[in-house]
Amino acid sequence: MTDQAHNGEKVAWTEQELAEIEEIASRYPSRRSAMLPVLWMAQHKFGWLSLPVLELVAETVGVPPSEARAVASFYTMLKKKPTGRYVLQVCHTLSCALNGAEEIIRHIESKYDFDENGNTPDGLFTLERVECLASCGSGPMMQVGEHYYERLTPEKVDEILAGFESGEPLPTPRPEADEWQWNLQS
Amino acid sequence: MAMEPSILTSRWKIPDAHRIDVAMKHGAWATLPAALKMAPGEITQVVKDSGLRGRGGAGFPTGVKWGFVPPPEKRNGKPVYLVCNADESEPGTFKDRYLMWKDPHMFLEGIVISAYAIGAKAAYIYLRGEFGFVRRRVDEAIAEARAKGFIGRNILGSGVDVEVYTHLGAGAYICGEETALLSSLEGKKGQPKLKPPFPAVEGAWRAPTIVNNVETMAAVTWIVGHGAAAYREFGTEKSPGTKLLSVSGHVLKPGVYEIDMGIPMMDFIMDTAGGLRPGRKLKAVVPGGSSVPIMTPDEVARATIDYESIHEVSGSYLGSGGMIVMDDTTDLAEGLANLLRFYAHESCGQCTPCREGTGWMFRILKRVKEGRATDVDLATLKNLADNIHSKTICFFGASAAMPVQSWLKKFPDEFFGRVHRTGKVGYADVGAEPPGGDKPGGTTQAAK
Amino acid sequence: MPTVKVNGIEVEVAPGTNMIEAARQAGVDIPHYCYHPHLPVAGNCRMCLVDVEAGGRGPDIACNMQARDGLAIRTDTDNVKRMRRSVMEFLLVNHPLDCPICDQAGECRLQDYYMEHGQHHSRLADEKITRTKRQDIGDLIILDADRCIACSRCVRFSDEVTKTGELRLFNRTDHTEIGVFPGTRLSHHYQGCLADICPVGALTNKDFRFQKRSWYLRAEPSVCDRCATGCNIDVDHDHGEVFRYRPRRNDAVNKSWMCDFGRLSYKRLAAEDRILTARGPEGAEGVDAVLAGLAAAVDAAARDHGDGSVGLVLGTRATNEANWAMLRALRAAVPGARVFLVEGNDPDAFDYTDDLLVHADKNPNTAGVRLIAEADGAVGDAEALRAALADGGLRLLLVLADDVLARLGEVRRPEALAFFGTWANATSEAARWVLPLAAAQEVEGSFTNFQGRVQRLQPAIPAAGDSRPGQVLAAGLARALGEDALPAGAAGVFHDLAANVPAFFGLSLAGLGAEGALVHREPPTEQVAPPDTRPAP
């Protein structure tokens, strides 16, 4: 199973990754609890969870391939299709919507040609509408990688995306707005 | 107005309080040594006496929940697990993220103390998948605490072992529901389990499991350190202590606030949270996360922020303390459609009424919002919500139904004004008080 | 034993009984989709919501409610009716309603329950969500995910019964879709069970679909004869033409399941190799004429060469009654006849065995024949038969049901061979006399399965062609041999068997019951007279 092609690569773990998986599995009384951690590892390594990757995960965790696919299909952050290099996940749930999330999304949509899967042709961006990311007090907001970009305005979005276009790396993950600090000033 | 208490947030203002050395200078991990000298039952008793209620949303008394763990002789040799619910995904709620980010040692200390109290040797912190950056910080804090001997084997020479692990979800609101969280922790789809059995008897890996919210764990640290009586100096008789509120929407100072329970809700919104933008009027407040019923300005004016008052005044709930404030620019039909899109997107798909009903309600609301619906659709909507509420495996069904029921009931004009009136349906058909003279047949035109 | 109330009817049930089963015992049917007595409780369909009158909080689902003293539920309230209607409505919101082209029509729970509990005007004004139709996912299964109601019965079956785990509900929300991992197929031999347990038309049986509308079929109880397990079955037929076997619930044997080999073996009832007429040295003749010719040959052999020149091989594929009647007939006429039992599988047996239901022994009655042989005390095995054939002393051999020549392999054949069997084989080919033995589903009688459980057979369909039950052929042979005093009829033969074979002491054919009856492991020391269930003359 593990020698099937995925994006032209071999689908297999390295020795080091296998050791890491064993360490993760040892944290739980049941090996299959390593399912989500291993799916995350697979996504980080292979970019997305193609069928050969899901078969590898299933074999690693000790479940039928159908189970790995069922689990992957349940969670929105696990990608079942290839994505662009920067996945722009813009929250559109109530609190962000009250503060202009739709305007932000429309603004991003106007900047690029996104296909039906939300990808730009150059493979740089994927635009996703996502549900509440627990940043309601600092909306509108989007998550890119692990980073939260908060209190967005179209101008701020332009600045962020220009940075990505010029190859800027993702910032050190942290929430950007610090509401508590803001409160302190009052 | 009384000074805001700062018992859960006392270190939030201190720079680098997430570092153990800084945190310890300000009292972190000072409670654990004393707690380890107490009997586990004594700790449970203190938590019971404090009246602490679960801060995740359900408000169930924490000490009572701990008491449901079967005694060792009735566990069939199974271990006990503590799981900290850091899934925080109820729209409008973001306090746990702040708590874990600003002062992870506060809730970690509570986790170790609680694990000791219920006899758990392993604790798992389940964070929502989007909290990768939070997880890194918590993992660093765990490593620091382990290095100091607060976590791991033979803690501080007491002979007590508590391992603490973090576990990352992958994008599913339902995993905040405790049994769905456990399914997810077990490596499955995050689908709720049937109750009975309850997790305290048969939870993670079919072993007795206590699931507690992040804020609850932080509160345990303070309560065990200061005593139940000191905790009860805050809050009300039935809602003792302080509560973290996440405030969002149309207020000038959104954010996380620690409040003394029992303070007037309107004062909190208008003063502490900065009030509304100039010239705006309050239209509605969802006080405890998107799932709880909506409140009218009149109800807000009469309520104090505690479990009892909110429910008595408005039929709503304090819930997770995620307060969404809406001013008079808000289109409630659009707002409710937004929420139902959320629930239709997040239904786990397991049981029939929720799986099929949330999507159906959303599709109707979408038509209402777009002006492609009739008043009959509104009656259908209300009836569907009734048919979902309390007919499902978990509380998600009710969580999707309550907004529909309450928004229609309290703001019928917002919806009747958006639909084609056939005359077949009146306000009573959506659970609303008929405005003067309205009868089935709908003689009163909605304001528009 | 807890006592509970269902609609005011008090009923005492076994501890651990859920309220669907408790209600059934009280005569109240609680509709359900996801609940299945032999699968773990899932509680997802919500069709079994009931009101709780006392002893709990409701409404709640009956399938996950354990009977306990004081619990009282109601299923006849307006609220319960409303809840059922509502669940039906939700289930149909995204269902294609393609009943006219759906082969489940007539045995679909959506249809059945809609007529009983649903029935209101459609309130659906929005487009339905559609899912993948017509997928070929196994040798016996077509999957139409669009019709699925996500009850998860098939998922639980794959996980808990076959433990192969191929089927899963993918995605979430109302986009939940049943399926297998892309590019894979069902790998187990219980696929037909998936179609059985699917309450709707999502999983249908390729072999049966579009062959017959289910309302033309009559179901008659029987037992599968393809291995020593003896799965209980329903024979679904239209005026004697059989369209399928379905497992019939027997918690002690096959629960609600059966393997695909057994399931498809209904085709053997009308197979081309079926022996439908009697054949003698002169070709096809009537059964009585062939029996008369055979009897004459038996008499002649015994007279000319001694009793020991005549032999009988008992049949592990024939009923207890066929074996006992043949043994009695021959022993009465030729007391010194030699009797054998040759165990083994015939070439037409299927080549598959597992730990679930499929026994390595592919004969339905090996255990029964062993007990008869044991009681007789003078039955030789394959080696003894080989030896008897090798020295040429055994001249005339009667063979019941089994393909004995194939089982023995290279062996010196007897001068004359008679075969009483259902399907043509090497033994029938070599036989001078061939008598058509009716199939198990066509006869009155019993099999003893590998557990030692005696299970009753009743004629589900008429015997094909000229074929007759074994005890009838044996009685004909006995008459031709001048023996008229032997018991006749299945009940009579069984009565006689139960009086003479210690393991069967005390049993009667009519008294076997729905789950069958176990033979005595340690035969009682004193004979227990079986109840006389024969009809009065």
Side-chain angles (χ1 to χ4, degrees):
Chain A
M1 290 295 176
T2 57
D3 58 0
Q4 287 186 46
H6 165 92
N7 296 346
E9 321 152 37
K10 287 251 180 185
V11 175
W13 302 115
T14 63
E15 288 300 315
Q16 194 188 339
E17 286 160 347
L18 283 171
E20 192 184 332
I21 289 166
E22 290 312 311
E23 188 280 316
I24 290 169
S26 74
R27 300 173 192 168
Y28 309 96
S30 154
R31 184 175 181 87
R32 68 159 301 161
S33 282
M35 175 71 95
L36 283 184
V38 173
L39 282 166
W40 273 121
M41 276 180 69
Q43 180 155 307
H44 287 141
K45 180 180 167 82
F46 300 108
W48 63 288
L49 301 170
S50 63
L51 296 179
V53 171
L54 288 172
E55 284 182 295
L56 172 66
V57 169
E59 193 185 23
T60 307
V61 181
V63 297
S66 57
E67 175 66 12
R69 179 165 183 254
V71 173
S73 72
F74 186 86
Y75 297 94
T76 54
M77 297 184 75
L78 300 174
K79 300 303 174 199
K80 278 71 73 176
K81 287 178 185 158
T83 62
R85 184 162 164 220
Y86 300 97
V87 182
L88 316 175
Q89 301 183 297
V90 188
C91 172
H92 66 158
T93 314
L94 187 59
S95 294
C96 281
L98 290 173
N99 286 300
E102 288 303 321
E103 191 192 339
I104 296 300
I105 292 169
R106 275 197 301 274
H107 181 71
I108 298 173
E109 281 171 344
S110 72
K111 287 174 73 82
Y112 307 100
D113 278 334
F114 292 100
D115 67 15
E116 63 206 5
N117 293 321
N119 299 326
T120 54
D122 57 4
L124 200 59
F125 296 116
T126 299
L127 176 62
E128 284 181 5
R129 291 168 167 268
V130 299
E131 301 294 351
C132 187
L133 297 182
S135 180
C136 318
S138 28
M141 63 81 66
M142 67 176 176
Q143 181 169 26
V144 186
E146 285 187 4
H147 189 83
Y148 276 19
Y149 295 90
E150 299 172 310
R151 297 198 164 281
L152 294 177
T153 59
E155 297 71 37
K156 203 162 159 188
V157 167
D158 287 342
E159 206 177 298
I160 294 162
L161 297 185
F164 291 151
E165 284 176 35
S166 67
E168 212 170 80
L170 287 170
T172 312
R174 63 173 197 80
E176 191 179 67
D178 198 335
E179 295 311 304
W180 187 260
Q181 294 295 336
W182 182 85
N183 283 332
L184 284 184
Q185 292 160 9
S186 64
Chain B
M1 197 180 136
M3 225 178 75
E4 285 161 31
S6 187
I7 67 175
L8 302 182
T9 54
S10 63
R11 292 192 288 266
W12 289 23
K13 303 168 187 180
I14 300 162
D16 291 331
H18 62 282
R19 292 280 166 215
I20 197 165
D21 294 335
V22 177
M24 284 181 73
K25 276 186 200 135
H26 295 88
W29 297 105
T31 304
L32 179 64
L36 292 173
K37 292 196 178 73
M38 297 166 73
E42 285 178 74
I43 298 175
T44 303
Q45 194 56 48
V46 170
V47 174
K48 273 185 189 166
D49 292 345
S50 75
L52 173 65
R53 297 167 65 164
R55 299 303 195 219
F60 193 83
T62 305
V64 176
K65 195 180 203 179
W66 291 4
F68 292 150
V69 174
E73 66 274 14
K74 289 189 182 166
R75 285 180 207 154
N76 300 322
K78 299 239 179 186
V80 179
Y81 295 106
L82 176 67
V83 175
C84 179
N85 186 344
D87 189 66
E88 188 163 67
S89 30
E90 176 77 11
T93 313
F94 44 100
K95 52 152 183 122
D96 292 337
R97 167 161 78 88
Y98 276 62
L99 197 158
M100 290 185 284
W101 187 259
K102 298 300 292 184
D103 187 9
H105 290 286
M106 183 80 181
F107 91 111
L108 283 178
E109 188 173 3
I111 286 172
V112 177
I113 293 168
S114 303
Y116 169 61
I118 63 168
K121 290 186 188 310
Y124 298 87
I125 302 167
Y126 184 101
L127 298 108
R128 61 179 297 174
E130 294 84 350
F131 281 180
F133 59 96
V134 182
R135 185 203 197 177
R136 287 170 203 274
R137 179 159 283 192
V138 173
D139 277 344
E140 283 163 20
I142 291 171
E144 289 177 335
R146 189 189 305 276
K148 299 262 187 205
F150 300 137
I151 287 175
R153 309 209 71 138
N154 191 20
I155 294 170
L156 302 176
S158 64
V160 175
D161 304 334
V162 178
E163 285 297 339
V164 181
Y165 305 103
T166 55
H167 186 95
L168 199 61
Y173 164 74
I174 190 59
C175 291
E177 197 277 344
E178 63 176 5
T179 59
L181 185 154
L182 297 178
S183 296
S184 183
L185 182 62
E186 289 167 351
K188 304 171 186 164
K189 292 193 287 183
Q191 293 190 319
K193 305 176 185 211
L194 293 181
K195 298 176 192 175
F198 288 88
V201 177
E202 195 181 307
W205 307 290
R206 309 197 71 172
T209 305
I210 291 296
V211 184
N212 282 146
N213 167 262
V214 171
E215 182 186 346
T216 310
M217 293 288 88
V220 164
T221 308
W222 198 92
I223 290 163
V224 174
H226 296 78
Y231 190 69
R232 282 187 171 278
E233 284 176 19
F234 300 99
T236 68
E237 170 66 25
K238 287 182 176 169
S239 299
T242 67
K243 176 84 190 83
L244 295 181
L245 298 186
S246 322
V247 189
S248 65
H250 296 143
V251 290
L252 289 174
K253 290 160 65 178
V256 177
Y257 297 88
E258 182 172 14
I259 61 132
D260 192 354
M261 278 202 275
I263 62 168
M265 186 179 284
M266 193 63 94
D267 290 356
F268 172 77
I269 293 169
M270 294 305 172
D271 300 336
T272 315
L276 307 173
R277 291 172 289 180
R280 299 293 178 217
K281 284 201 194 97
L282 185 65
K283 187 173 216 170
V285 173
V286 177
S290 65
S291 304
V292 305
I294 199 167
M295 293 172 76
T296 62
D298 173 60
E299 289 167 343
V300 172
R302 287 185 287 131
T304 55
I305 304 179
D306 54 82
Y307 294 100
E308 286 68 36
S309 170
I310 291 176
H311 191 61
E312 279 159 24
V313 167
S314 71
S316 189
Y317 304 95
L318 176 56
S320 62
M323 188 176 283
I324 304 169
V325 179
M326 289 171 272
D327 70 21
D328 56 355
T329 63
T330 311
D331 177 343
L332 289 186
E334 176 115 26
L336 188 58
N338 183 296
L339 282 188
L340 264 292
R341 185 202 60 225
F342 172 83
Y343 289 104
H345 181 261
E346 298 297 339
S347 168
C348 86
Q350 188 176 203
C351 69
T352 308
C354 174
R355 181 184 66 241
E356 307 293 343
T358 49
W360 190 358
M361 291 197 297
F362 168 57
R363 292 193 289 276
I364 292 175
L365 275 162
K366 193 158 173 282
R367 283 193 287 112
V368 171
K369 180 182 92 172
E370 293 165 357
R372 295 187 293 116
T374 70
D375 48 11
V376 176
D377 286 311
L378 297 180
T380 301
L381 195 57
K382 149 80 170 133
N383 181 248
L384 293 179
D386 293 347
N387 287 344
I388 294 170
H389 194 295
S390 72
K391 316 293 194 301
T392 51
I393 290 176
C394 79
F395 204 68
F396 185 103
S399 300
M402 286 190 300
V404 172
Q405 292 165 325
S406 65
W407 292 44
L408 284 172
K409 175 186 161 86
K410 295 184 184 180
F411 297 93
D413 290 348
E414 295 272 334
F415 298 91
F416 276 97
R418 295 291 280 272
V419 298
H420 172 67
R421 299 295 301 261
T422 65
K424 290 179 193 155
V425 166
Y427 279 34
D429 296 301
V430 301
E433 292 286 324
D438 187 60
K439 47 184 177 283
T443 50
T444 304
Q445 281 299 311
K448 192 71 191 182
Chain C
M1 297 273 282
T3 301
V4 296
K5 269 192 196 174
V6 182
N7 297 349
I9 305 161
E10 209 160 82
V11 58
E12 194 180 339
V13 297
T17 306
N18 69 55
M19 291 307 289
I20 288 186
E21 298 294 347
R24 192 173 289 175
Q25 289 179 39
V28 175
D29 181 48
I30 298 181
H32 56 271
Y33 291 99
C34 68
Y35 170 73
H36 187 287
H38 294 122
L39 294 173
V41 168
N44 61 43
C45 77
R46 316 309 281 179
M47 194 65 192
C48 72
L49 278 166
V50 295
D51 278 338
V52 180
E53 208 172 18
R57 281 201 316 185
D60 207 347
I61 47 173
C63 65
N64 196 42
M65 210 184 284
Q66 294 237 322
R68 55 184 179 274
D69 274 324
L71 183 62
I73 62 167
R74 291 212 84 92
T75 70
D76 52 2
T77 62
D78 286 344
N79 187 45
V80 171
K81 286 175 194 148
R82 261 196 308 276
M83 291 190 292
R84 289 176 182 172
R85 270 167 53 122
S86 159
V87 170
M88 285 306 309
E89 186 178 39
F90 284 132
L91 286 173
L92 293 172
V93 168
N94 288 308
H95 184 82
L97 298 174
D98 56 348
C99 310
I101 58 155
C102 177
D103 201 50
Q104 189 78 3
E107 50 187 352
C108 172
R109 288 216 189 171
L110 277 177
Q111 286 185 330
D112 296 349
Y113 288 162
Y114 183 75
M115 296 313 288
E116 207 173 332
H117 308 292
Q119 300 216 40
H120 41 61
H121 68 283
S122 171
R123 299 193 290 184
L124 189 71
D126 301 278
E127 261 183 49
K128 286 176 187 281
I129 291 161
T130 57
R131 302 168 187 81
T132 323
K133 293 192 84 72
R134 209 183 183 289
Q135 303 167 67
D136 187 334
I137 61 163
D139 291 347
L140 213 49
I141 292 294
I142 292 283
L143 167 62
D144 185 325
D146 208 23
R147 296 178 185 149
C148 171
I149 57 166
C151 75
S152 81
R153 274 182 169 190
C154 60
V155 175
R156 284 172 281 149
F157 181 84
S158 305
D159 282 355
E160 305 293 332
V161 181
T162 61
K163 302 192 193 302
T164 44
E166 302 102 330
L167 282 155
R168 281 293 179 275
L169 287 159
F170 299 112
N171 308 331
R172 64 188 198 197
T173 73
D174 45 14
H175 287 79
T176 297
E177 177 163 345
I178 187 71
V180 295
F181 192 82
T184 67
R185 286 165 68 79
L186 299 175
S187 58
H188 59 75
H189 296 291
Y190 293 84
Q191 297 183 18
C193 296
L194 293 168
D196 294 340
I197 59 174
C198 180
V200 300
L203 294 160
T204 49
N205 182 328
K206 269 194 223 176
D207 179 66
F208 175 72
R209 68 201 304 260
F210 305 128
Q211 297 306 304
K212 199 75 181 173
R213 281 300 199 181
S214 63
W215 51 83
Y216 293 115
L217 295 175
R218 266 184 73 118
E220 301 286 349
S222 189
V223 173
C224 178
D225 58 330
R226 294 294 283 159
C227 86
T229 301
C231 291
N232 292 207
I233 58 172
D234 272 324
V235 176
D236 283 357
H237 71 98
D238 178 24
H239 294 92
E241 187 187 354
V242 178
F243 285 86
R244 63 179 174 186
Y245 288 165
R246 282 177 302 132
R248 179 167 51 88
R249 180 173 176 178
N250 184 338
D251 291 3
V253 178
N254 55 306
K255 294 186 175 156
S256 302
W257 323 127
M258 76 182 299
C259 76
D260 293 338
F261 302 100
R263 182 183 296 270
L264 294 179
S265 69
Y266 77 90
K267 293 170 192 261
R268 297 176 56 76
L269 293 173
E272 290 201 342
D273 60 351
R274 184 78 195 264
I275 297 170
L276 294 172
T277 53
R279 177 166 59 78
E282 311 302 325
E285 296 172 65
V287 169
D288 290 341
V290 174
L291 284 173
L294 173 60
V298 169
D299 277 339
R303 188 184 60 233
D304 299 344
H305 303 286
D307 281 7
S309 68
V310 178
L312 167 67
V313 186
L314 297 171
T316 57
R317 298 175 67 171
T319 60
N320 291 317
E321 293 71 16
N323 278 283
W324 185 249
M326 285 293 287
L327 183 64
R328 290 285 261 171
L330 196 63
R331 283 255 191 266
V334 189
R338 291 195 263 180
V339 180
F340 304 92
L341 166 57
V342 180
E343 295 193 16
N345 292 334
D346 287 348
D348 69 349
F350 60 97
D351 185 23
Y352 171 76
T353 297
D354 63 26
D355 298 334
L356 185 49
L357 287 178
V358 183
H359 202 275
D361 177 5
K362 297 299 185 285
N363 305 289
N365 201 29
T366 304
V369 182
R370 275 184 197 159
L371 292 169
I372 289 170
E374 219 169 273
D376 181 83
V379 175
D381 62 7
E383 280 318 300
L385 176 55
R386 228 182 273 277
L389 289 169
D391 73 10
L394 190 59
R395 290 165 179 272
L396 173 56
L397 187 63
L398 280 60
V399 175
L400 181 57
D402 298 348
D403 190 356
V404 169
L405 289 187
R407 289 187 186 187
L408 290 174
E410 279 301 304
V411 73
R412 178 171 170 187
R413 296 193 173 185
E415 260 171 38
L417 196 60
F419 182 64
F420 294 69
T422 312
W423 295 281
N425 56 28
T427 308
S428 71
E429 291 299 310
R432 186 175 294 174
W433 301 275
V434 176
L435 280 309
L437 184 67
Q441 291 72 29
E442 299 165 347
V443 305
E444 181 87 28
S446 62
F447 284 143
T448 306
N449 81 352
F450 77 94
Q451 303 164 314
R453 183 173 300 277
V454 190
Q455 305 201 91
R456 189 175 181 187
L457 296 166
Q458 288 169 289
I461 51 168
D466 283 347
S467 68
R468 319 256 160 107
Q471 63 273 14
V472 173
L473 294 174
L477 179 64
R479 272 196 304 277
L481 288 167
E483 300 292 335
D484 293 325
L486 292 173
V493 173
F494 191 92
H495 183 80
D496 187 46
L497 163 75
N500 288 287
V501 179
F504 287 77
F505 282 179
L507 300 180
S508 74
L509 196 55
L512 289 178
E515 292 205 335
L518 285 172
V519 296
H520 307 293
R521 289 284 169 204
E522 297 293 327
T525 46
E526 275 179 52
Q527 181 173 337
V528 183
D532 195 337
T533 54
R534 286 171 295 179

